[in-house]
Amino acid sequence: MTIARLLLHLFLLLTFAPLLQGVIARTKARFAGRSGAPLLQPYYDLARLWRKGFVFSRTTTWVFLAGPVTALVVPLLASLLVPFGALPAPFSFDGDLILFVYLFGLARFFTATAALDTGSSFEGMGAAREVTFACLAEPTVLFALIVLARVSGGLSLNTLLGPGLAAGWQTAGASLGLVAVCLFLVLLVENSRIPFDDPNTHLELTMIHEVMVLDHSGPAFGLILYGSAMKLMVLGAPLVRLLLPWQSGNLLLDALVFLAGMLALAVLVGVVESSMARLRLVRIPQVLVGTTLLSMFALVLVLR
């Protein structure tokens, strides 16, 4: 059963993660009055990049390639710790939520180090911004997980996002609502989405994540794009489970409900990106501090 659960988790992640990027792009195109690219365009882009050859500068070292590899492997490992909707995670133990959070810290470290390995001050600027915003988002995630641990009475992600979550909405609905808002904002900042970042911008003074990967091309850039798509799905899974805490007991039906929730989340991200402008850089820390305060208030509500 564990092997079947593992294979199902990996199948859902590897197959459907790029589709979320296509849904976001299609939603933004519809808001702009355009037909937009096909939903499967991210798959075509990945196939095109992986057909190309590697090109490395002579000034870079093995660290330059370690960034894309880590960006792909970390979401893959993190997905094994988080439930996909009502489907429990293949691997679970007390305290796995800490490993889940810091796996992405490891990926961020290698991505920033790969950017610095190019020797470009421009990419160093992006790395500094990325790490700064991540440091400000991390307390929000930890306080949100503490709230879920308090409501569920467990310390593993399977328990935090398990069957008891539906009952938790009846006893601590206000706290869980605040946690959902905070996790959605963290999802946007961690995946470099508007209003915190713009994955399509190439304006030098406003770039954050994209500037770090400017020197990557071909298969290495494909690894980064695929890893980003998987990161969006893995970080969105707890939010979808929080908002859809029910389960039918039927494996196929629960998987379909999870995928429907992820597609709805992708549409929501597209709507947000279409309906609001990007925040000024000086405003981003203020918003992230605000999400930390909101998650702390949610913790106070469940402790009272």
Side-chain angles (χ1 to χ4, degrees), residues 38-70:
L39 286 174
L40 301 182
Q41 186 62 46
Y43 298 92
Y44 303 148
D45 292 340
L46 291 175
R48 175 176 51 82
L49 289 169
W50 286 337
R51 284 198 298 268
K52 297 183 177 180
F54 285 95
V55 177
F56 296 118
S57 167
R58 289 191 296 272
T59 63
T60 59
T61 65
W62 62 271
V63 176
F64 186 70
L65 183 58
V69 172
T70 311

Side-chain angles (χ1 to χ4, degrees), residues 147-148 151 164-181 242-243 245 297-298 301-302 304:
V147 171
L148 293 175
V151 172
L165 199 55
W169 276 100
Q170 299 175 3
T171 58
S175 294
L176 294 181
L178 290 174
V179 166
V181 172
L242 184 60
L243 298 176
F297 183 61
L301 288 179
V302 296
R304 67 185 169 83

Side-chain angles (χ1 to χ4, degrees), residues 136-137 140 182 185-186 286-296:
L136 293 173
T140 302
C182 292
L185 293 175
V186 169
Q286 297 171 0
V287 173
L288 294 177
V289 170
T291 60
T292 301
L293 294 176
L294 272 182
S295 57
M296 289 176 65

Side-chain angles (χ1 to χ4, degrees), residues 219-303:
F221 189 53
L223 294 178
I224 292 173
L225 292 182
Y226 200 19
S228 298
M230 289 196 291
K231 182 180 179 182
L232 176 65
M233 186 166 178
V234 172
L235 291 181
L239 182 58
V240 169
R241 177 57 177 162
L242 184 60
L243 298 176
L244 300 173
W246 305 278
Q247 63 184 68
S248 67
N250 184 296
L251 200 65
L252 180 60
L253 183 59
D254 288 339
L256 291 176
V257 170
F258 168 70
L259 291 177
M262 288 303 308
L263 293 176
L265 181 63
V267 171
L268 180 60
V269 172
V271 171
V272 169
E273 295 200 351
S274 303
S275 57
M276 66 183 301
R278 183 179 169 183
L279 293 172
R280 294 170 57 193
L281 281 177
V282 294
R283 297 294 183 197
I284 296 176
Q286 297 171 0
V287 173
L288 294 177
V289 170
T291 60
T292 301
L293 294 176
L294 272 182
S295 57
M296 289 176 65
F297 183 61
L299 179 60
V300 171
L301 288 179
V302 296
L303 290 177

Side-chain angles (χ1 to χ4, degrees), residues 1 17-18 40 57 79 81 84 96 100 112 131 157 169 185 191 193 199-200 209 216 259-261 298 300:
M1 184 63 184
L40 301 182
S57 167
S79 71
L81 300 175
F84 279 180
D96 59 0
F100 178 78
V131 173
L157 288 172
W169 276 100
L185 293 175
N191 288 280
R193 312 298 312 195
N200 297 319
H209 179 78
H216 291 283
L259 291 177
V300 171

Side-chain angles (χ1 to χ4, degrees), residues 88-102:
F91 299 102
S92 179
F93 52 88
D94 284 345
D96 59 0
L97 51 96
I98 302 297
L99 177 61
F100 178 78
V101 172
Y102 285 101

